[in-house]
Amino acid sequence: MQSKNWIGGEWVTPAGREVVVQNPSQLSEEVGVVRLSDTSHVRQAEQAARQAFSHWAGMTGAARGEVLYRIAAALEKAAGEVAELASREMGKPIGEMRGEVTRGVNLLRYYAAEGVRSVGSVIPSAEPDVLQYTRRVPLGVVAVITPWNFPVAIPIWKIAPALICGNTVIWKPAENASLTAVRVAEIFAEAQLPPGVLNLVIGKGSEIGQALVEEIQPDAVSFTGSTATGRQIAAACAARNIKYQTEMGGKNAAVVLRDADLEKTVPLVLSGAFRSAGQKCTATSRIIVEREVCESFAELLRKAVAACKAGPALDPGAYLGPVASHAQYSKVSEYAAMAEREADLVAQGVLLTSPDEGYYVKPMVVSGVTEDHALVQEEVFGPLAVLLPADGFDHAVTLCNRTVYGLSASLFTRDLSRAHRFLDLAQAGMVRVNQETAGVEYQAPFGGMKLSSSHTREQGQAALDFYSAVKTCAIKHTL
Ligand code: NAD
């Protein structure tokens, strides 16, 4: 497979540098070739998106919804094939990847239905004979910049609400999710999305991503990725008064209280920490356990992690796959080496395959480091979690909040009043009780506090707020 851009309804192969995509599960396998664009493609995409805007925005919401329903049906039909391609491109286990594609289908249907829902309210006027009301109008051309870790769901949770609101889109996926992005765009094309309504430009973040934010004039930018990049994008957008949304990193905690059902808690903590090889923004990377039960919890964790197998993404026996890329492998391996040097090993999983075949990292839980240690404070984005003992509920909450991030947090308990206290006190955009830190449903708002987010929200109804502007209208019908 070879990557290509989709601009103004035409498929074009950029003449730029070629990057061979190796399967992170099996490095000897070539998945395809990515052809990098230059900034002229960004300008072409902007022009195509501008041209397509008035027709698309002028269609009724119901008609736009029909197009999204067709895309949902086409994606559902191609689900197996899309999931397999993504698994081969970025290493997410096939079972999880199928679930992600299903989430994409559900998101498309959810936003398709928004085409016929109300878009404003009537506000009584203080003057006679005045009808005062609000409506929502599209913003124009939206630039969508996405990461590799959810190569199908994240792009769709941005593109679908943007489209139903009447915007046109320029999408720049992460370099190592480009082949999956091309297949997703093909599905949009097969479903007869009008030309120019969605434009795909494949390329490097530092060139194509930056050009989207700094060279052209989009009406909004929606970004998901690292906090470092997100802050740069936010600064550039603020300087140009472009509406923006940045969803960024996390250092999420699962807090286990002494009254929790430990046997049932362990698999949920494990899933939060190691599914997707820990490469979810909402992954559990700190496990905070009340001291009284810390040893017994660690013992249960040891057994469960020892049975946790890292293997090829297409092997149904693999609990987690490899990490996604060479860059990810280098970064995560450095943290794993740091953990071996500076922390105590609590639990470690096994590899199903030879470590040289792909970017495999054994899942690992460590302890014995202070609250300020890099392993406790920095986002590893890999299958490595730190266990921290807490002296009671208040201390557990303090530890949970002791991070610059604020994406998700979980509490495991049978104490209803502590559950409510935690829901009040945890400084995170998504707070859950007796559920893992990852897995917020598509119809609910998704986003973080502190350095995890621009304080906007995605998914659910919240996304519609971002992709539209409120217009306050008033008409005096008798002069
Ligand atoms: P990244 O910041 O390196 O890249 C994200 C996207 O931004 C990619 O498309 C990349 O090409 C582009 N980009 C890079 N530099 C750019 C620049 N200067 N200007 C414009 N665009 C640029 O992040 P990543 O490594 O792809 O993703 C991992 C990170 O994403 C983690 O920190 C993770 O926590 C975060 N993430 C957050 C959420 C969330 O919803 N909060 C969801 C998934 C991932």
Side-chain angles (χ1 to χ4, degrees):
M1 182 176 183
Q2 179 153 224
S3 79
K4 50 194 175 175
N5 290 340
W6 192 38
I7 298 178
E10 303 287 330
W11 291 99
V12 272
T13 305
R17 193 160 65 81
E18 281 187 8
V19 181
V20 173
V21 179
Q22 291 172 297
N23 181 343
S25 297
Q26 181 66 57
L27 296 176
S28 56
E29 186 200 320
E30 194 177 295
V31 185
V33 173
V34 170
R35 300 288 293 262
L36 300 177
S37 312
D38 60 48
T39 54
S40 69
H41 297 103
V42 175
R43 289 190 293 276
Q44 285 164 22
E46 183 191 26
Q47 207 177 8
R50 286 260 168 251
Q51 255 170 26
F53 175 69
S54 60
H55 172 67
W56 181 249
M59 282 167 62
T60 62
R64 287 197 295 267
E66 283 308 316
V67 179
L68 292 197
Y69 280 123
R70 286 206 300 271
I71 299 168
L75 180 61
E76 193 167 45
K77 197 159 156 230
E81 170 220 328
V82 173
E84 187 179 324
L85 173 62
S87 288
R88 288 170 63 226
E89 186 174 25
M90 47 66 75
K92 186 179 289 192
I94 187 70
E96 280 185 75
M97 208 44 245
R98 284 199 195 105
E100 184 182 331
V101 177
T102 301
R103 186 186 185 103
V105 172
N106 290 337
L107 282 156
L108 283 158
R109 294 204 170 117
Y110 177 89
Y111 288 112
E114 287 304 319
V116 291
R117 294 224 172 86
S118 57
V119 289
S121 51
V122 175
I123 302 138
S125 170
E127 283 189 45
D129 301 330
V130 169
L131 172 64
Q132 179 172 252
Y133 62 97
T134 61
R135 52 191 282 235
R136 288 194 167 273
V137 295
L139 303 171
V141 174
V142 177
V144 160
I145 303 174
T146 53
W148 47 264
N149 66 334
F150 282 88
V152 175
I154 290 182
I156 290 178
W157 87 42
K158 294 177 187 293
I159 294 168
L163 296 186
I164 200 65
C165 289
N167 304 286
T168 56
V169 172
I170 309 170
W171 173 25
K172 196 219 86 69
E175 293 87 317
N176 54 331
S178 296
L179 299 175
T180 306
V182 170
R183 190 64 198 103
V184 169
E186 280 175 352
I187 287 165
F188 277 63
E190 281 158 29
Q192 310 290 312
L193 184 72
V197 172
L198 172 65
N199 303 277
L200 175 72
V201 184
I202 301 290
K204 286 182 73 66
S206 53
E207 291 168 25
I208 302 308
Q210 203 161 327
L212 279 171
V213 176
E214 292 179 13
E215 273 187 39
I216 63 163
Q217 187 70 43
D219 298 292
V221 175
S222 178
F223 165 87
T224 298
S226 62
T227 295
T229 310
R231 292 176 90 175
Q232 272 179 39
I233 289 176
C237 289
R240 302 178 72 202
N241 200 29
I242 295 171
K243 187 174 187 181
Y244 67 89
Q245 157 183 84
T246 52
E247 287 305 331
M248 304 176 280
K251 189 72 190 171
N252 315 295
V255 175
V256 184
L257 298 186
R258 59 175 183 260
D259 71 321
D261 182 330
L262 300 186
E263 302 261 358
K264 287 187 179 155
T265 299
V266 164
L268 293 167
V269 170
L270 209 68
S271 172
F274 299 144
R275 287 289 186 195
S276 292
Q279 302 168 115
K280 291 182 188 173
C281 52
T282 49
T284 304
S285 59
R286 296 175 298 143
I287 309 167
I288 299 167
V289 185
E290 266 200 282
R291 202 176 288 279
E292 288 88 331
V293 293
C294 207
E295 198 35 58
S296 39
F297 187 76
E299 191 46 44
L300 289 170
L301 206 55
R302 199 168 292 134
K303 285 194 196 120
V305 179
C308 198
K309 295 169 186 148
L314 295 180
D315 181 340
Y319 188 87
L320 63 153
V323 293
S325 62
H326 185 258
Q328 267 295 98
Y329 184 70
S330 306
K331 183 181 144 202
V332 176
S333 300
E334 272 177 34
Y335 279 109
M338 181 194 283
E340 274 165 23
R341 265 193 331 267
E342 299 174 27
D344 305 324
L345 185 67
V346 174
Q348 194 165 38
V350 290
L351 297 189
L352 273 176
T353 178
S354 147
D356 311 329
E357 284 182 13
Y359 296 131
Y360 294 102
V361 179
K362 282 186 194 164
M364 193 196 274
V365 179
V366 298
S367 67
V369 285
T370 63
E371 298 159 34
D372 298 319
H373 196 279
L375 293 169
V376 183
Q377 292 301 329
E378 294 171 15
E379 186 184 41
V380 176
F381 221 53
L384 200 174
V386 187
L387 189 70
L388 295 163
D391 295 310
F393 175 77
D394 292 340
H395 184 216
V397 173
T398 305
L399 286 176
C400 174
N401 290 340
R402 201 161 184 281
T403 162
V404 293
Y405 297 106
L407 196 55
S408 68
S410 282
L411 180 76
F412 293 88
T413 185
R414 282 183 274 207
D415 181 332
L416 199 52
S417 94
R418 284 194 160 153
H420 279 285
R421 287 283 294 151
F422 187 76
L423 290 160
D424 283 344
L425 297 174
Q427 293 165 355
M430 295 167 289
V431 189
R432 297 151 71 78
V433 173
N434 296 324
Q435 287 180 297
E436 61 174 280
T437 54
V440 172
E441 295 178 31
Y442 67 87
Q443 69 277 31
F446 186 105
M449 293 179 175
K450 304 199 277 189
L451 283 189
S452 291
S453 166
S454 54
H455 318 289
T456 44
R457 291 290 178 269
E458 300 200 86
Q459 293 199 141
Q461 297 294 298
L464 303 170
D465 293 339
F466 179 74
Y467 292 106
S468 62
V470 172
K471 207 176 243 188
T472 303
C473 306
I475 177 163
K476 189 162 175 76
H477 44 85
T478 315
L479 266 183

